[in-house]
Amino acid sequence: MLRAAGDATRLRLLLLLVKAELTVSELTEILGQSQPRVSRHLKLLCEAGLLERFKEGAWVFYRAADQGGSRGGLRVRCPGLRIPRTIRC
């Protein structure tokens, strides 16, 4: 799990997705990276259990994994992690 979050781009994705549910196209725009690159990072984070992927109609959204019913699943797995109020990515 920590290895999956060890990359700077994946850490930025985690911080964004703790705060909001976003699509790949929204994430590529925010990060300024290509769609295949962002998709690869998202896949690795999902496989590590840090993110959830869900469909709404034709759109696929990503969000931080929901562990134990709380919206901050990442905080449940990493209790010492501090999420800043404003994310500067």
Side-chain angles (χ1 to χ4, degrees), residues 8-80:
T9 299
R10 289 193 289 270
L11 185 56
R12 289 172 69 193
L13 286 166
L14 285 170
L15 292 173
L16 287 166
L17 294 168
V18 163
K19 296 289 187 181
E21 298 171 346
L22 300 167
T23 64
V24 174
S25 60
E26 292 169 326
L27 290 165
T28 58
E29 188 175 326
I30 292 166
L31 297 174
Q33 297 185 7
S34 68
Q35 179 271 320
R37 182 179 178 134
V38 171
S39 293
R40 175 74 177 141
H41 287 301
L42 291 169
K43 180 181 181 223
L44 291 170
L45 290 168
C46 285
E47 288 173 351
L50 295 171
L51 294 183
E52 295 176 348
R53 178 184 188 272
F54 67 99
K55 281 186 100 169
E56 274 190 25
W59 295 96
V60 176
F61 287 85
Y62 290 86
R63 64 179 168 216
D66 188 15
Q67 301 291 322
S70 68
R71 180 59 179 91
L74 185 60
R75 290 183 195 158
V76 172
R77 289 184 156 206
C78 305

